[in-house]
Amino acid sequence: MLLFRPTHLLVGDDGPAHTGWGLVVENGRIAAVGPLSDVAPRAGSARAHDLVGTLMPGMIDCHTHVCLSGGVNPVADLEAEGHTRRTVRAIHALAAHRHAGVTTIRDMGGPGGLDLEIARGVREGWLEGPRMLAAGEVVCITGGHACFLGIEADGPDAVRAAVRKQLKSGCDLVKVIATGGVITPGVEPGAAQMTPEELRAACEEARKAGRLVAAHAQGTEGIRNALLAGVATIEHGFFLDAETIGLMLARGSTLVPTFAAGQAMLDGEAAGVPAYMIEKIKRVKGAHIASFQTALAAGVHVACGTDAGTPLNPHGRIATEVELLVRFGATPAQAVAAATGNAARAIGRDDIGLLREGRRADLLWVGGNPHEDVHALTKVRGVWMDGRHVEGPPPQAIPA
Ligand SMILES: [Zn+2]
C-alpha cells in the first residue's frame, strides 16, 4: 500500500489540476484518488510520500518505431546495420521512453518481428518496460511508403493474408499505409496508396480478431479511404478537410499528428537529413498545422505520438511532442490529456491513462505543474508501473 500526497494532481482528462488531493495504490492498482481527507483513511498506516510537483498518469506515446535509429537517415541505417545492433538499440529505446515518463508505447511497425518479440518480453515480465503494444510488420502496397518496415501486399486477398500473418505472429494492432509519406523516397504524402478495397479487407480481418487498425494517412483521399474502412487512428493527417473531419467526429476516430517528426527533420536540414525528406516536409508543414487546428476546434480526439526513430527524432522525447501540440494551438490541459487519457482511449486501453480508481498505477511525478508550463514534463522525478517504482538515471545517448 502506498499513499501519495503531491502538490498537484492531474487525472489525465483535460480537467483542472487538483491541489490537496491524494492517491492510494494497492496491489498495483489505484485504490483511491481524491481530496486527501477522503483518501488518506484508505491508506491505513502506509507511509505517505510527499511529492513536490505534480502526480499524473504515466504518459503514452502512441507512435514509435523501436527498430529505427533516430539518426539523420534511419532508412539507410535500417539497411546498413545488422539485426544484432538493431535489437540492442531497440532495447535501449525502451529505457529512453521509460525515463522520459512514458509507461506505454504503441510501436508502429518494423521488419522481422523485432517489436513483437520485445513486446512479448515486456508482457511476460523479463524485460523492463514501458508496456508495449506492437504492430509487427506494416502492410503497404508494392513500393509503397514504409515498404522497408513491412509486407508489400497488392489486392484485398493479399492484404488479408498479410494481416492474418501479423495476427498469427501476435500483433497488438494492425498498421496500414493509406498514403505516401515523407521518409520514403519517390512517394508523395498527398497521394493515396492502399485502395478502399484493400483497406476494408485489412480492417475486417483486424476487427474479427479484436484488434484496432492504425492508418498512416497524410493525403485527403487516403484519409477518407481509411476512415470509411474503419481505422481507429489517423497517423499524421496532413491534409484533413471538412468531410474527413466530419467522418472522424462521427466515428470517434483519433488524430495522432506526430509533429515532433516533421520538426526534427526541419531542424536537421544542416545536419544532413536527406534533401528529399526536407523538400517534402517543407511542402506539407503549413497544411499539417492547419489540419490539426481545424480538427482540434471541431472536437476531434487528439493523441500524442512522437514517431520516435525517424530522422533526428530520438526515443524518449515525448515532452517535445506535447510542447508542439501546445505551440500549434492546444491548451496545456488538452496536450497533457493527449499524452494520457486520450492516448489510452485511442489505443483501446481502459486500464491505463487516467488516475481513476481501479486503473493500473502507472504514475509519473514531474517537477512543477504542466498545466502552467508543459516544459515541466521534462522534469521527471519518478515513474511507477503497476505501482512499482522504476529507478535509474536516464540512459546515455548511443553515439552515431
Ligand atoms: Zn511512423
Side-chain angles (χ1 to χ4, degrees):
M1 188 97 86
L2 293 165
L3 169 63
F4 293 106
R5 296 189 299 206
T7 319
H8 311 283
L9 183 144
L10 301 181
V11 171
D13 52 16
D14 57 9
H18 300 285
T19 51
W21 276 33
L23 182 138
V24 179
V25 176
E26 188 173 16
N27 298 324
R29 298 271 174 168
I30 297 168
V33 58
L36 204 50
S37 54
D38 295 348
V39 305
R42 289 287 307 273
S45 59
R47 192 169 72 83
H49 298 261
D50 289 311
L51 308 179
V52 176
T54 298
L55 185 66
M56 57 181 279
M59 290 191 281
I60 300 170
D61 190 335
C62 292
H63 193 135
T64 66
H65 296 277
V66 295
C67 69
L68 292 180
S69 67
V72 290
N73 188 350
V75 183
D77 290 345
L78 203 57
E79 282 166 21
E81 74 185 354
H83 200 71
T84 307
R85 182 171 173 84
R86 187 184 309 153
T87 304
V88 173
R89 218 177 15 65
I91 292 166
H92 177 271
L94 287 187
H97 285 289
R98 192 172 63 240
H99 288 284
V102 170
T103 48
T104 299
I105 61 174
R106 181 177 66 156
D107 202 74
M108 296 295 266
L114 172 61
D115 58 334
L116 298 173
E117 280 304 314
I118 291 177
R120 183 161 83 160
V122 174
R123 192 168 56 243
E124 292 177 354
W126 48 270
L127 206 54
E128 188 76 78
R131 234 175 269 298
M132 183 169 169
L133 278 66
E137 296 174 298
V138 309
V139 179
C140 66
I141 64 170
T142 294
H145 173 65
C147 54
F148 43 83
L149 295 182
I151 302 185
E152 298 174 314
D154 301 298
D157 287 348
V159 166
R160 230 175 257 285
V163 171
R164 286 173 180 167
K165 179 168 178 268
Q166 298 318 300
L167 294 167
K168 182 183 177 188
S169 303
C171 69
D172 299 294
L173 72 148
V174 171
K175 165 99 178 276
V176 293
I177 305 294
T179 69
V182 173
I183 70 169
T184 309
V187 301
E188 267 302 312
Q193 291 204 338
M194 287 174 73
T195 65
E197 295 75 23
E198 289 168 339
L199 289 164
R200 275 201 299 275
C203 288
E204 193 179 304
E205 291 305 316
R207 181 178 48 76
K208 286 191 290 187
R211 307 299 206 283
L212 296 177
V213 179
H216 164 100
Q218 299 183 339
T220 313
E221 182 187 348
I223 293 170
R224 187 193 310 119
N225 292 343
L227 290 167
L228 289 172
V231 305
T233 59
I234 294 294
E235 309 297 314
H236 319 302
F238 293 168
F239 296 98
L240 293 168
D241 64 359
E243 184 195 357
T244 46
I245 286 173
L247 278 171
M248 293 192 79
L249 290 169
R251 290 164 183 251
S253 343
T254 299
L255 174 65
V256 185
T258 68
F259 284 119
Q263 193 61 48
M265 280 185 253
L266 290 166
D267 294 344
E269 186 170 5
V273 172
Y276 73 86
M277 298 185 193
I278 301 284
E279 185 276 318
K280 283 194 268 188
I281 199 70
K282 280 185 175 168
R283 196 147 41 81
V284 301
K285 186 184 174 186
H288 189 196
I289 295 169
S291 286
F292 167 68
Q293 291 173 339
T294 312
L296 189 71
V300 169
H301 298 291
V302 173
C304 190
T306 57
D307 215 352
T310 54
L312 300 179
N313 182 20
H315 293 272
R317 296 269 186 90
I318 191 167
T320 302
E321 179 68 15
V322 177
E323 287 179 29
L324 288 168
L325 293 175
V326 171
R327 186 191 303 175
F328 297 138
T331 64
Q334 285 175 321
V336 169
T340 53
N342 277 4
R345 184 193 162 282
I347 65 173
R349 293 286 297 249
D350 61 8
D351 59 335
I352 54 174
L354 291 172
L355 301 190
R356 292 237 173 101
E357 199 176 313
R359 296 217 177 195
R360 290 176 187 276
D362 283 8
L363 310 173
L364 170 60
W365 167 27
V366 295
N369 176 357
H371 278 196
E372 282 163 16
D373 178 5
V374 283
H375 196 66
L377 296 176
T378 62
K379 297 170 189 150
V380 173
R381 302 281 188 259
V383 180
W384 291 260
M385 290 182 62
D386 287 329
R388 186 173 60 86
H389 190 214
V390 180
E391 301 211 47
Q396 191 183 320
I398 301 178

